[in-house]
Amino acid sequence: MKSTHDHTFHIPVMGLGFTIDTPIKVAHFGISSVLSIVEDHLIEQMREVVCRNNNIVYKPILADVEDSRAKRIRAYLNLVQEIVSQNIAHLLKQSFEKESDLTKYFELLPEDSIAKSMYRQTLDLRGSERELAEKNLRNLVHPGSVDVNIMTKVDKVNYDSNGETLSQEYSDALSALRGFATSNLSSSVVFSAGLNPRLYTYCEKFEDFYPDINGVLKKKIILKVSDYRSALIQGKFFAKKGLWVSEYRIESGLNCGGHAFATEGLLLGPILEEFKFNRHKLFSELYTTCSEVLTLKGKKFAEPPRIKISVQGGIGTANENNFLMKYYNLDATGWGSPFLLVPEVTAVDEETVQKLATAKQSDYFLSHSSPLGIPFNNFKHSSSETQRKTRILKNRPGSPCYKKFLSTNTEFTEKPICTASREYQNLKIKQVQSQVLDPIELETIISKIIEKDCLCEGLGTASLIVNKTKLSHGLKAVAICPGPNLAYFSGVYTLKEMVDHIYGRTNILNSLKRPHVFVNELKIYVDYLKKEVETSLKSITEKQKSYFSSFKQNLLNGIEYYSALIPDLKMIDEIALEMRAQLFEQKARLELVPIHQTIKV
């Protein structure tokens, strides 16, 4: 369970740039956050910004320098660590005055933490007793973790100046890992988007992922997972190499921001129940395997390590947060999208913040705009969506592709290109125009091709605008990827307001009627299945039919689970009855999904 001094939430990675400097803003308040280390060009630009803002001499690392990607990432992470340390040192020199950051540190803590209780007691003391108590409080101050995220699917191979393929350790993901692993940070790397054997195996190369001479891990591994089976498979993969997974970060498959990885109809509640039931078994099996391998390598833990379990995706109230923590014995929760409305915390340009603050529920949608071919949570009024549609109207669909991080398609070219690029979309449109005669079918196919949008640029642009820095190639359109839960937040907030909301000290939700997080996710899943089945009506295969049937049954099982769980939610009778009605409504919708009536033609 959680430390008695710490915050019980973290701020997950958001986009490429929205949390890129978040640790500098919140770590000295004891809040952990995650930044993306996918985009080294953006990271290098931000390193210049941070140096400028802190009167530090900036020495550029040019792209043509050998291993520039890893060097840029390492240099930025070391700089962030340096600034966080300075912020902590500055905070500790302050007095416990009303507006000081030192006071704010303790005021932000959850009410049930020992540190918060000690702080409250100190306020009533005077003289030497007060001085001693304040000294003890200062000893409790520690920074939040500066964690990094690597999306495992973003791992293209790279080439030298002569066009020759570089060895695998210079691929995007491995280079990013090397940058983190050789940095000064003592924190965690979050691997998301599934198992990447090459990347995971590369962790063996770095001593910081193994216990040091004192049996302590300097660098830790966190896996973002969608279900227990995935956690077990990936955990075993690491354990067999003597590598310990310190945390499993469970994320809702669809009720989240960014890329959405739909489980086979497995809902958050049943998934958490499985983790709760198997937690000790998971630890025992992985610890036995990991310890045996470590012994062979001449290493060992000082004491048995912990497995942390956390959850994120669609949480919106303190009651939901507290229930998840207590009922499922979790260590923490993740709060992402709502922080897009907190300029103190995330790098979102003012225009986009105002659009999000006044958005309607229908403005958030699950799209197919990602070049990775993975469903992507999108926002209708982003300047990136406007730019994409404008290019189509000008008969110039697609984006110029400068950074090529998502270049994976070799349908028309020897070297991979991006499906959001103008090059690919032009080639693909010409191909289908020569093959498809039916105008309605042709229009449908082309609309899917031109739906892809550039994320390499769009997901990082806001951080450059906020920091008044030269835009990459002059591109100013902002892509943003909030989860649908953001529809229940309308406004621009301070860090204190958002943290107070998380811990139940205030309520900042708008007036839109909001079902429980479990019901919200269920509805999204039913909508998703309904749309997928309808899309496949005329050409469904037996494999798809089996998948849809399993998906539907898992949702029905989830509804049954939630119906039985309602008494444990300790709702007032009126709200409990409403939740039962909402579950019944979704079950009725689900029963109408015509999986077995579909035909193959």
Side-chain angles (χ1 to χ4, degrees), residues 550-581:
S550 177
F551 198 110
K552 181 176 180 177
Q553 187 57 53
N554 284 332
L555 290 180
L556 290 170
N557 293 342
I559 292 172
E560 184 177 343
Y561 171 85
Y562 288 144
S563 297
L565 186 69
I566 288 177
D568 293 302
L569 292 172
K570 293 182 172 57
M571 298 173 163
I572 61 175
D573 291 343
E574 181 182 348
I575 297 177
L577 285 172
E578 188 173 15
M579 183 170 178
R580 289 190 187 278

Side-chain angles (χ1 to χ4, degrees), residues 310-441:
S310 62
V311 66
Q312 60 195 47
I315 307 169
T317 70
N319 286 338
E320 290 175 354
N321 193 78
N322 293 337
F323 174 79
L324 291 169
M325 289 282 295
K326 294 176 181 178
Y327 187 82
Y328 296 108
N329 298 324
L330 300 177
D331 296 278
T333 56
W335 286 67
S337 296
F339 276 102
L340 294 172
L341 296 172
V342 185
E344 282 181 66
V345 174
T346 52
V348 187
D349 61 293
E350 185 176 355
E351 178 185 347
T352 303
V353 169
Q354 292 302 323
K355 288 178 179 178
L356 293 174
T358 56
K360 300 176 182 177
Q361 195 167 15
S362 58
D363 293 331
Y364 303 96
F365 69 108
L366 192 62
S367 73
H368 294 283
S369 60
S370 172
L372 291 175
I374 301 166
F376 184 76
N377 281 291
N378 214 330
F379 181 57
K380 287 183 180 179
H381 301 298
S382 71
S383 52
S384 182
E385 265 294 282
T386 300
Q387 176 182 259
R388 183 184 69 84
K389 292 174 181 177
T390 300
R391 286 169 172 169
I392 293 170
L393 290 174
K394 292 181 177 179
N395 201 30
R396 286 178 59 79
S399 307
C401 190
Y402 297 111
K403 296 179 177 176
K404 307 183 186 303
F405 288 113
L406 304 183
S407 297
T408 59
N409 187 283
T410 55
E411 188 177 356
F412 301 107
T413 57
E414 183 177 348
K415 289 184 178 180
I417 58 176
C418 180
T419 55
S421 69
R422 185 165 295 149
E423 179 183 10
Y424 173 83
Q425 293 189 9
N426 284 338
L427 290 169
K428 189 64 178 176
I429 289 171
K430 289 178 181 178
Q431 181 193 66
V432 298
Q433 285 175 334
S434 67
Q435 296 174 347
V436 180
L437 299 178
D438 181 80
I440 297 178
E441 183 182 357

